[in-house]
Amino acid sequence: MKLSENQNLKTYNTFGMEVYARQFLQMESADEVPAIIQDFLSKQPYYILGGGSNTLFTKDFDGVIAHPVFEGIEVMEIFGENVLLRVAAGEPWDNLIQYCIKHEYFGIENLTAIPGLVGSSPVQNIGAYGVEVKDTIYKVEGYRISTGKPFELMNIDCQFTYRNSIFKQALKNDCIITYVWFQLSTKEHFTLSYQGLANALAERELPLKLRYISECVRKIRDEKLPDPKTIGNGGSFFQNPVVSIEQFQKLKAHYPDLVAYDAPDGCKKLSAGQLIEKAGWKGKRLGKAGTWKNQALVLVNYGEATPKEVLDTAETIVKDVNTLFDITLEMEINCI
Ligand code: EPU
């Protein structure tokens, strides 16, 4: 492990917030996790930080931040038309995508270019372009912080739903995920339910190949989303809200172009980005924070924004959307 004191976190969060952690601990192997829990995490406030692409630090952190840096992708088994991969928590997500393209493993190509680490992917059940990571996760390994004991949770026990899992609910802040197992397909198959992706492939007259699908996703992301390397942001700041069919019909009567997707229990999932845009917030700024010009759901740091400016912007957006639609947007991002 590598320990540093009074660590500037600016390069450890994609929002680029300049805040400090009293201690910062790089976990260099899964084997050292039990000792780290006992010697550091059990004694003070802690936070497990992956790639920092879904975290908004709102102030200095008076405790220890534990960050996995151990990497590795291992083929555990090939059976029938499936492959089982065991991937270390510190592996950058997009490296796994590249590996799968190279070896022709199908299933997660639509999740190309999502920032962050593999260990964080089950926590919020990352998803994009018609695919959620829950569709490919076989099981998750890690340690419980409260007991220091190892755990293994099979897919069904992770309680995955839209942008949610047991790691954000009953086990919130009580797990260090060390490995994620993925079950992918060795047989060609694609998910092209997201119209924008199907259109992009058709427009470019590209054949249905793993690497072209991945390239198209990267292009769509580049067009819609700001690159966190140049403009600080944490991806979607809010979740897409789920409303009852009655509320949806009422809103649709006022806003006929309202985008909606089917959600469980006969509900409808609306597009938070569209609601924010209709509330007049697309590309708008409040101080040095604001929303992205091509995707209003993404809050950005236009340069040296303080956490307060980002939070004030978020609060104002929530208020304005609520006034217009009677919907309260929930944050997708973790505020620490
Ligand atoms: N829309 C607007 N205005 C906007 C943004 C979107 O009208 O400013 C409309 C679009 O025209 C489209 C609909 O809303 O009809 C949906 O937009 P988009 O396809 O961009 O997806 P999203 O629902 O806004 C979700 C994920 C993204 C993911 C995309 C693509 C959430 C919270 N976000 O966004 O994930 O990339 O779908 O599948 O579910 C992330 O989590 O950080 C993230 C970027």
Side-chain angles (χ1 to χ4, degrees), residues 111-179:
L111 306 180
T112 292
I114 293 185
L117 305 182
V118 166
S120 320
S121 63
V123 177
Q124 55 162 152
N125 179 23
I126 59 170
Y129 311 111
V131 171
E132 288 185 333
V133 76
K134 74 170 173 58
D135 304 331
T136 58
I137 287 179
Y138 175 71
K139 67 177 176 183
V140 176
E141 276 182 66
Y143 289 87
R144 294 283 298 274
I145 297 170
S146 51
T147 60
K149 297 262 184 315
F151 73 82
E152 274 195 11
L153 282 179
M154 300 305 290
N155 179 302
I156 183 84
D157 301 317
C158 294
Q159 300 173 8
F160 291 122
T161 53
Y162 166 64
R163 287 297 196 276
N164 214 337
S165 74
I166 194 165
F167 307 109
K168 277 176 80 172
Q169 299 297 330
L171 298 184
K172 189 173 170 154
N173 293 333
D174 192 23
C175 292
I176 295 185
I177 291 171
T178 49
Y179 291 94

Side-chain angles (χ1 to χ4, degrees), residues 53-54 110 114-115 124 126-132 162-163 194 220-221 224-225 233-240 257 259-261 269-278 281-283 292-298 332-333:
S53 53
N54 205 44
N110 293 27
I114 293 185
Q124 55 162 152
I126 59 170
Y129 311 111
V131 171
E132 288 185 333
Y162 166 64
R163 287 297 196 276
Y194 185 88
I220 294 172
R221 290 187 72 94
K224 280 198 182 175
L225 303 168
N233 76 90
S236 301
F237 197 91
F238 301 102
Q239 295 195 2
N240 284 332
D257 63 340
V259 176
Y261 309 93
K269 186 158 74 180
L270 305 182
S271 151
Q274 190 188 35
L275 304 183
I276 296 168
E277 179 175 347
K278 284 190 181 299
W281 267 98
K282 193 171 187 171
W292 185 235
K293 58 181 182 342
N294 299 332
Q295 169 48 293
L297 185 52
V298 178
E332 145 77 0
I333 220 126

Side-chain angles (χ1 to χ4, degrees), residues 58-258:
T58 57
K59 52 182 180 305
D60 291 344
F61 189 76
D62 189 21
V64 59
I65 290 197
H67 170 62
V69 293
F70 51 98
E71 301 180 6
I73 303 173
E74 227 182 317
V75 175
M76 304 306 283
E77 202 181 329
I78 295 185
F79 58 99
E81 292 170 342
N82 302 283
V83 59
L84 261 189
L85 300 180
R86 182 178 185 247
V87 188
E91 186 74 42
W93 175 262
D94 207 47
N95 284 3
L96 174 61
I97 298 285
Q98 298 312 318
Y99 176 94
C100 290
I101 291 170
K102 183 167 163 211
H103 293 87
E104 302 239 299
Y105 298 148
F106 300 82
I108 52 173
E109 57 282 353
N110 293 27
L111 306 180
T112 292
I114 293 185
L117 305 182
V118 166
S120 320
S121 63
V123 177
Q124 55 162 152
N125 179 23
I126 59 170
Y129 311 111
V131 171
E132 288 185 333
V133 76
K134 74 170 173 58
D135 304 331
T136 58
I137 287 179
Y138 175 71
K139 67 177 176 183
V140 176
E141 276 182 66
Y143 289 87
R144 294 283 298 274
I145 297 170
S146 51
T147 60
K149 297 262 184 315
F151 73 82
E152 274 195 11
L153 282 179
M154 300 305 290
N155 179 302
I156 183 84
D157 301 317
C158 294
Q159 300 173 8
F160 291 122
T161 53
Y162 166 64
R163 287 297 196 276
N164 214 337
S165 74
I166 194 165
F167 307 109
K168 277 176 80 172
Q169 299 297 330
L171 298 184
K172 189 173 170 154
N173 293 333
D174 192 23
C175 292
I176 295 185
I177 291 171
T178 49
Y179 291 94
V180 184
W181 293 57
F182 297 88
Q183 182 173 332
L184 301 171
S185 175
T186 53
K187 186 175 167 235
E188 189 168 273
H189 80 90
F190 302 113
T191 304
L192 298 172
S193 54
Y194 185 88
Q195 204 52 47
L197 179 56
N199 293 349
L201 281 159
E203 267 165 34
R204 293 175 66 197
E205 296 182 1
L206 289 171
L208 283 184
K209 286 271 168 232
L210 201 49
R211 78 188 157 95
Y212 293 136
I213 292 181
S214 174
E215 269 175 26
C216 269
V217 168
R218 203 175 290 277
K219 191 164 167 281
I220 294 172
R221 290 187 72 94
D222 284 350
E223 282 165 7
K224 280 198 182 175
L225 303 168
D227 179 356
K229 287 194 194 91
T230 48
I231 297 177
N233 76 90
S236 301
F237 197 91
F238 301 102
Q239 295 195 2
N240 284 332
V242 175
V243 299
S244 68
I245 187 78
E246 292 79 20
Q247 191 176 5
F248 168 68
Q249 280 161 350
K250 244 196 267 166
L251 288 167
K252 187 88 178 161
H254 275 82
Y255 304 96
D257 63 340
L258 214 58

